[in-house]
Amino acid sequence: MLRFLTAGESHGRALVVVVEGLPAGLPITAEEIASELARRRLGFGRGPRMRFEQDELVILAGIRHGLTLGSPVAVEIANSEWERKWTEEMSPAPGRATQPLTRPRPGHADLAGMQKYDFVDARNVLERASARETAARVAAGALAKALLRHLGIEILSHVIQLGPVTAQGARPGPGDLERVDASPLRCFDPAAEAEMIAAIEAAQRDGDSLGGVVEVLAYGVPVGLGSHVHWDRKLDGLLGQALLSIQAVKGVEIGEGFDVARRRGSEAHDAITWDGEAGTYVRQTTRAGGIEGGMSTGELIVARAAMKPLATLNRPTLQTVDTATKAETVSFKERTDVTAVPAMGVVAETMTALVLANEVTRKFGGDSLGELERNVAGYREQVRLATERVVDVAAGGEPLNWDEREAFPEPGS
Ligand code: EPS
């Protein structure tokens, strides 16, 4: 199974991520990881830090001559302001903060974190709660995505709502990621995008922030990732946890999640039909988001994540209390983004890729990429044959049209 850990504070020396459980022999370069990190910095409405933060990365371990070794992969991403601004304030050496933050921002981790960890300075909380940490996740996601690509699985995301503006029209398909990324808001609907830009500019003028919704799509996922057999193995539950763990995400929807709750049962599901020519079951709709009973159905996986407007405002108006004096005041001002929804889409792709790669390695195992690929190809073939099989149920499931028994050798043969 694939697991990962991140460490690092937003204005500390660096972020570090360790990814364990990748098979050996996966081709990956620092440039590929860097280009995923660059995608995360895209997006109209991001703050000034994104213009100079270059995410300089160093592969510390686990990759040799462009291939994974099967050992933990460790990646370091430097914070480019560290040397210039933060060596004192964020020093690991004994000392004290020169400017403790005592006006916690409503909606941020500040106050609950100060109370929970017994801190006087909100910086001790916000440095780690900051979405800067997602850069480390995206490095891990680049590895997961590379693995999934070898198995024919492609993940992409697009912004479907920004503030009050909702996108309409077609979904991006496989291979459309570049087109999505070419849009300044990572939105696939140009008319909606123009309105979204206007909404961001208006919020910016007011020193305010905007949230929104992204849709993550996973193409080529085989049937049967996740399981109905236990609550903590359900793929939708795993995706929900992973997406809700992204900073500022407050809602997750699988398929048409909240909308189907309004409909009758006859209009809430994806009818199953048989395509005799292709020899497959087909669902014309994606209301279930490609997951039924906690398992992938083999159809397109659709998940949406809703991000609240950022709690840091360029013109603070949110009421709070100074934790030192208990005087009522407004939350402290920080340099910030008007919106980070397009970047959150890249992080949502990352979390989806990490969940799917974990499920793939759990189901198919394999110490090398070749072994994993063979296991996946064998399973896909087994599903294909079993799907086409017409059986005599009364005779105990004997195949009627199927003479390919050698595809399922008897145990021990
Ligand atoms: C963030 C605040 C801003 C963002 C940061 C997340 O940072 P700063 O306060 O240093 O300007 O730029 O995001 C990143 C640095 C990043 O790489 O995504 C926050 O409070 O969450």
Side-chain angles (χ1 to χ4, degrees):
M1 299 204 323
L2 195 72
R3 32 189 194 144
F4 73 102
L5 272 180
T6 72
E9 280 71 44
S10 184
H11 302 101
R13 180 188 286 270
L15 303 167
V16 179
V17 62
V18 178
V19 184
E20 199 278 328
L22 286 166
L26 176 69
I28 188 89
T29 62
E31 289 70 32
E32 279 172 77
I33 301 173
S35 86
E36 277 297 294
L37 291 171
R39 292 185 60 230
R40 198 195 59 93
R41 295 194 304 273
L42 293 173
F44 187 79
R46 287 283 257 163
R49 184 166 171 187
M50 290 302 95
R51 286 196 283 278
F52 59 76
E53 190 67 76
Q54 287 308 314
D55 293 329
E56 282 163 34
L57 75 98
V58 182
I59 295 173
L60 298 172
I63 298 175
R64 181 168 183 241
H65 299 156
L67 298 173
T68 55
L69 295 171
S71 52
V73 173
V75 177
E76 181 191 271
I77 305 161
N79 288 326
S80 51
E81 279 186 302
W82 162 257
E83 293 287 352
R84 196 167 56 81
K85 266 179 81 178
W86 293 96
T87 49
E88 295 289 315
E89 198 66 16
M90 291 300 293
S91 170
R96 61 167 58 195
T98 54
Q99 294 164 321
L101 300 172
T102 57
R103 289 180 288 143
R105 295 158 297 174
H108 221 290
D110 302 349
L111 183 56
M114 291 167 88
Q115 292 178 289
K116 176 175 166 66
Y117 289 92
D118 194 15
F119 290 143
V120 171
D121 182 0
R123 182 166 298 288
N124 286 340
V125 180
L126 69 90
E127 282 288 332
R128 181 62 185 161
S130 159
R132 173 70 187 152
E133 183 263 349
T134 60
R137 299 199 205 188
V138 168
L143 297 160
K145 278 185 173 181
L147 180 70
L148 295 173
R149 258 196 307 275
H150 278 273
L151 308 174
I153 300 169
E154 181 182 336
I155 297 169
L156 49 93
S157 70
H158 61 133
V159 172
I160 59 169
Q161 193 187 319
L162 212 138
V165 187
T166 308
Q168 312 286 337
R171 276 198 172 116
D176 278 339
L177 194 59
E178 255 177 56
R179 277 177 63 202
V180 175
D181 284 353
S183 140
L185 278 178
R186 307 199 59 258
C187 174
F188 211 53
D189 173 354
E193 178 175 79
E195 284 179 54
M196 289 173 180
I197 288 176
I200 293 169
E201 285 169 339
Q204 188 160 29
R205 278 193 296 278
D206 297 339
D208 220 322
S209 61
L210 287 176
V213 181
V214 303
E215 183 173 81
V216 188
L217 307 167
Y219 287 95
V221 176
V223 65
L225 294 190
S227 178
H228 65 289
V229 300
H230 204 246
W231 68 268
D232 57 358
R233 293 189 52 191
K234 288 173 181 265
L235 187 61
D236 37 9
L238 295 166
L239 284 173
Q241 202 275 328
L243 294 171
L244 281 165
S245 79
I246 301 170
Q247 290 80 342
V249 168
K250 294 296 268 186
V252 170
E253 189 177 46
I254 305 292
E256 296 178 16
F258 282 89
D259 206 49
V260 288
R262 275 187 274 274
R263 297 183 216 149
R264 290 187 163 191
S266 54
E267 289 156 5
H269 301 283
D270 304 314
I272 302 169
T273 56
W274 179 249
D275 178 345
E277 217 159 281
T280 58
Y281 304 111
V282 178
R283 294 166 175 85
Q284 298 293 349
T285 49
T286 52
R287 290 161 172 164
I291 301 175
E292 289 177 338
M295 288 171 284
S296 57
T297 61
E299 302 280 340
L300 170 66
I301 290 188
V302 182
R304 302 199 180 119
M307 185 183 205
K308 68 185 177 184
L310 296 177
T312 319
L313 301 182
N314 282 312
R315 191 178 302 158
T317 49
L318 289 172
Q319 191 184 330
T320 189
V321 172
D322 188 312
T323 52
T325 64
K326 316 303 171 199
E328 288 192 356
T329 179
V330 288
S331 52
F332 60 79
K333 178 177 160 30
E334 278 245 285
R335 173 184 75 187
T336 187
D337 310 323
V338 180
T339 189
V341 175
M344 190 272 283
V346 177
V347 182
E349 289 173 22
T350 272
M351 295 313 292
T352 302
L354 286 159
V355 167
L356 294 179
N358 186 31
E359 289 308 302
V360 160
T361 50
R362 178 210 291 265
K363 181 162 170 55
F364 301 107
D367 293 308
S368 67
L369 180 63
E371 187 182 4
L372 173 63
E373 282 176 329
R374 279 194 297 281
N375 293 349
V376 173
Y379 170 76
R380 286 196 194 260
E381 181 62 2
Q382 174 196 313
V383 169
R384 189 185 70 75
L385 292 170
T387 299
E388 284 185 342
R389 181 175 52 175
V390 178
V391 292
D392 183 346
V393 176
E398 282 301 307
L400 288 181
N401 70 339
W402 184 52
D403 51 8
E404 298 178 69
R405 273 168 177 276
E406 60 277 12
F408 296 93
E410 292 298 318
S413 68

